[in-house]
């Protein structure tokens, strides 16, 4: 049987980045992906002349991103085109119901004065708000790391920000970047991300969607002598003499000196190693970990363009999520309305829609549970569609066709359900207090031969950037790995 140096399970942005770098570094790589296409949660879909991310995927920071660093390292900058247009629409809904549009800047950084004018912060509160923003921006990396044990809500509490500014920082920025309630979100992670967004802008996309980038990474593996198998689901990890030595699939067994799992730390431990006595401590550990919240939304196929910006956000002073408000919303005791994200791929990539048309993707919070019933899903959808109709009164009349997506689709396409309420998580593990920085699971599983890559280990930052950062970290770690261990 053929022996590989490294088997990477999953061609999400984490797995594909890692596989490409290892292959370029001379390792004999086998990359296995269950879907027909690469990209995982960043995958691209194509239908009726439209090309679009399966759901809203907007990356940040835009300048000096992990994507750019990776593509440079792999010599793929000509083949994969990253775009950042600067423009976006941020709509703040006042308590009277009016939508106030943030003035458009050049997108390279966020001007605090523009922000304060737009959010109508009274003159007497401006010094204090600026003070908060300045202290957030001036924290050094060491000071940020020291906030690991604190939630972002705890960090914000003494600042006593006006509700609109609080909603801007929490709802517009953190709720969508991290997909966990602010009172569980790790302050260090939040501030690290906010600094990079303020200083290096947001709204990074890839022509053809991030799925196109993942496909290019797979192609790199092939060009460097590796093998990529699509439509190949790994069912089990093979363990011999106390180490992981390969994988079992419907297409047969494959052996490798190291196996890197991109399928999620919980599915790896609780499904791929379900029967292994050796993995009992790991299974115990991963049961305690909390996934991020899920995202659902709609793909609206429009007979004419509605927006001229690649993405936007709609929020209000009531939209920030806390753990208690989310639980109450799930139980039907509180409004299900939170922040809404939208993306229009043909604005940054004109080939993404037939001439004169547009596909608009929306996304908002929902439970990560892939087994929610239709009635409950409809409640989440109706709460947010009502906001879309109000914010964009022309939208309804322009719809030719629509597709809904839910946490069930996210799970079916990217991550197996192995625990109650888990599978449809948006990011991966939640970036909560205790699950970031020194509390983040290690890329080394503790079982010889098995490593984790992707959002669950080895990176930080916003979803796609975190996945790529992890891919780079794991590849670097494994470049010196003693491969070709005799079997
Ligand atoms: C609805 C939604 C909206 C999002 N919006 C944003 C956004 O705006 N900005 C942002 O930065 N991030 C966003 N994200 C998050 C981001 O897309 C992810 O965090 C990131 O892409 C995850 O990459 P990954 O490599 O960790 O894992 P994944 O993308 O989950 O990749 C895992 C791969 O493993 C494969 N796999 C799983 N099991 C097996 C198996 N047994 N055998 C073989 N293959 C297997 C899967 O098919 C998948 O391709 C969003 C995610 C979702 C779901």
């Amino acid at each position: 049987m053929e022996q590989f140096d490294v088997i990477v399970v999953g061609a999400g942005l984490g797995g594909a980045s890692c596989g490409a770098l290892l292959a370029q570094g001379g390792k004999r790589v086998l990359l296995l992906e269950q879907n027909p296409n690469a990209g995982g949660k960043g995958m691209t879909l194509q239908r009726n002349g439209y090309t679009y991310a399966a759901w809203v995927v907007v990356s940040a920071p835009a300048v000096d991103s992990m994507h750019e660093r990776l593509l440079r390292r792999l010599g793929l900058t000509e083949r994969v085109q990253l775009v950042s247009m600067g423009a976006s629409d941020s709509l703040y809904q006042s308590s009277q119901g009016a939508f106030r549009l943030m003035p458009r800047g050049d997108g390279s950084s966020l001007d605090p004065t523009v922000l304060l004018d737009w959010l109508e912060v009274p003159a007497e509160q401006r010094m204090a708000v600026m003070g908060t923003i300045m202290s957030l921006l001036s924290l050094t990396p060491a000071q940020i790391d020291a906030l690991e044990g604190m939630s972002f809500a705890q960090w914000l509490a003494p600042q006593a920000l006006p509700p609109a500014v609080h909603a801007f920082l929490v709802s517009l920025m953190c709720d969508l970047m991290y997909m966990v309630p602010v009172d569980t979100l790790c302050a260090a992670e939040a501030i690290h991300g906010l600094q990079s967004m303020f200083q290096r802008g947001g709204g990074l996309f890839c022509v053809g969607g991030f799925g196109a980038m993942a496909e290019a990474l797979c192609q790199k593996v092939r060009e460097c002598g590796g093998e990529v198998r699509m439509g190949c689901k790994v069912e089990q990890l093979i363990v011999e003499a106390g180490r992981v030595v390969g994988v079992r699939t419907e297409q047969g067994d494959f052996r490798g000196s190291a196996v890197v799992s991109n399928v999620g730390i919980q599915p790896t431990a609780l499904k791929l190693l379900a029967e292994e006595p050796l993995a009992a401590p790991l299974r115990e550990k991963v049961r305690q970990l909390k996934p991020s919240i899920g995202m659902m939304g709609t793909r609206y196929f429009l007979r004419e363009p509605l927006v001229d910006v690649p993405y936007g956000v709609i929020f209000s002073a009531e939209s920030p999520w806390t753990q208690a408000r989310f639980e109450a919303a799930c139980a039907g005791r509180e409004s299900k309305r939170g922040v809404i994200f939208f993306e229009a791929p043909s604005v940054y990539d004109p080939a993404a829609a037939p001439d004169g048309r547009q596909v608009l993707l929306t996304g908002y919070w929902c439970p990560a549970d892939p087994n929610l019933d239709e009635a409950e899903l409809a409640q989440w959808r109706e709460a947010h569609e009502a906001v879309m109709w109000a914010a964009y009164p022309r939208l309804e009349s322009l719809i030719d066709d629509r597709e809904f997506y839910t946490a069930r689709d996210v799970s079916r396409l990217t991550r197996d359900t192995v625990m109650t309420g888990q599978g449809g998580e948006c990011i991966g593990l939640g970036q909560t207090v205790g699950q970031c920085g020194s509390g983040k699971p290690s890329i080394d599983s503790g079982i010889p031969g098995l490593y984790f890559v992707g959002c669950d280990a080895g990176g930080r930052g916003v979803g796609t950037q975190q996945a790529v950062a992890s891919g780079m970290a794991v590849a670097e770690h494994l470049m010196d790995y003693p491969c070709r261990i005799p079997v």
Side-chain angles (χ1 to χ4, degrees):
M1 189 185 304
E2 197 173 3
Q3 169 80 18
F4 292 88
D5 291 335
V6 183
I7 299 176
V8 182
V9 185
L13 287 168
S17 307
C18 180
L21 286 166
L22 288 169
Q24 176 176 260
K27 301 287 185 201
R28 175 110 172 86
V29 171
L30 172 64
L31 177 55
L32 301 173
E33 167 57 47
Q34 64 180 0
N35 292 323
N37 299 103
K41 295 186 202 300
M43 72 176 66
T44 299
L45 303 177
Q46 286 181 313
R47 190 170 85 96
N48 298 337
Y50 291 97
T51 300
Y52 48 99
W55 27 71
V56 184
V57 183
V58 183
S59 195
V63 176
D64 192 24
S65 63
M66 296 310 297
H67 304 63
E68 195 182 321
R69 292 183 203 179
L70 173 75
L71 294 173
R72 244 188 278 124
R73 197 171 296 176
L74 290 169
L76 291 177
T77 48
E78 302 281 300
R79 239 191 274 177
V80 181
Q81 207 185 330
L82 296 175
V83 265
S84 172
M85 298 181 63
S88 64
D89 273 354
S90 298
L91 284 154
Y92 176 69
Q93 188 177 22
S94 72
S95 50
Q96 286 79 40
F99 290 93
R100 288 206 301 265
L101 185 62
M102 179 166 149
R104 293 178 185 172
D106 68 0
S108 59
S109 63
L110 230 161
D111 179 348
T113 321
V114 173
L115 187 73
L116 300 183
D117 288 343
W118 165 54
L119 296 175
E120 293 180 344
V121 177
E124 65 277 12
Q125 293 182 350
R126 290 195 170 202
M127 285 295 280
V129 171
M130 287 297 280
T132 300
I133 294 176
M134 287 310 161
S135 69
L136 191 146
L137 293 180
S138 60
L139 287 172
T140 63
Q143 287 170 325
I144 295 177
D145 288 347
L147 300 173
E148 239 181 46
M150 179 188 264
S151 75
F152 191 45
Q154 285 172 315
W155 188 86
L156 283 174
Q159 319 290 338
L161 292 170
V165 179
H166 177 87
F168 175 82
L169 288 179
V170 172
S171 209
L172 182 147
M173 302 196 87
C174 293
D175 282 355
L176 290 173
M177 282 208 295
Y178 297 111
M179 300 293 297
V180 292
V182 64
D183 45 352
T184 68
L185 172 62
C186 172
E189 194 77 11
I191 293 171
H192 170 81
L194 287 169
Q195 277 195 354
S196 69
M197 286 271 287
F198 271 98
Q199 291 158 353
R200 288 147 67 199
L204 181 72
F205 299 93
C206 181
V207 171
F210 286 107
M213 174 169 157
E215 293 291 345
L217 297 171
C218 291
Q219 187 55 24
K220 185 77 187 181
V221 172
R222 294 184 195 99
E223 287 167 8
C224 294
E227 191 174 329
V228 181
R229 289 191 181 219
M230 294 293 170
C232 184
K233 181 159 179 133
V234 169
E235 305 292 348
Q236 200 187 324
L237 299 184
I238 303 170
V239 178
E240 285 173 8
R243 62 178 299 122
V244 171
V245 295
V247 300
R248 181 146 299 150
T249 78
E250 274 185 357
Q251 297 179 20
D253 291 357
F254 300 94
R255 295 180 78 91
S257 303
V259 172
V260 177
S261 175
N262 185 209
V263 316
I265 193 165
Q266 290 170 325
T268 305
L270 299 174
K271 186 170 180 199
L272 302 186
L273 285 169
E275 311 294 330
E276 268 309 319
L278 178 76
L282 182 64
R283 287 196 294 271
E284 195 47 42
K285 203 162 90 184
V286 305
R287 281 198 185 94
Q288 315 307 319
L289 298 171
K290 298 274 179 286
S292 79
I293 304 293
M295 184 183 273
M296 61 182 281
T298 304
R299 306 164 191 138
Y300 297 104
F301 299 90
L302 306 179
R303 60 180 67 91
E304 61 182 74
L306 177 73
V307 296
D308 61 354
V309 285
Y311 75 107
V313 179
I314 307 170
F315 70 110
S316 73
E318 284 73 48
S319 59
W321 288 110
T322 60
Q323 183 69 27
R325 183 165 101 76
F326 188 65
E327 283 171 14
C330 292
R333 297 193 307 274
E334 278 244 20
S335 163
K336 289 185 163 51
R337 222 166 112 168
V339 60
I340 302 179
F341 215 4
F342 67 81
E343 176 184 346
S346 56
V347 177
Y348 61 84
D349 176 9
D355 270 355
R357 293 178 177 259
Q358 188 167 77
V359 55
L360 187 80
L361 316 168
T362 61
Y364 37 84
W365 279 35
C366 70
D369 186 351
N371 296 314
L372 288 196
D373 63 34
E374 287 306 320
E376 167 121 37
L377 291 171
Q379 288 173 13
W380 287 94
R381 188 174 299 130
E382 283 158 16
H384 293 92
E385 280 202 323
V387 179
M388 286 305 293
W389 305 154
Y392 291 95
R394 285 177 63 230
L395 171 58
E396 249 187 307
S397 68
L398 296 180
I399 299 170
D400 247 357
D401 195 5
R402 77 183 96 188
E403 294 171 350
F404 302 124
Y405 69 86
T406 68
R408 189 178 309 154
D409 301 298
V410 173
S411 175
R412 180 175 53 83
L413 290 168
T414 69
R415 187 172 285 217
D416 288 331
T417 299
V418 290
M419 293 186 357
T420 309
Q422 166 277 335
E425 51 268 42
C426 182
I427 307 292
L429 285 187
Q431 285 152 286
T432 54
V433 177
Q435 293 191 167
C436 293
S438 60
K440 185 123 185 153
S442 167
I443 58 175
D444 185 340
S445 72
I447 299 174
L450 177 62
Y451 296 84
F452 298 120
V453 73
C455 281
D456 290 2
R460 79 186 303 183
V462 177
T464 54
Q465 305 246 353
Q466 182 177 209
V468 171
S470 167
M472 293 170 84
V474 176
E476 191 175 327
H477 185 79
L478 288 183
M479 276 317 293
D480 298 326
Y481 192 76
C483 288
R484 307 201 193 278
I485 290 168
V487 275

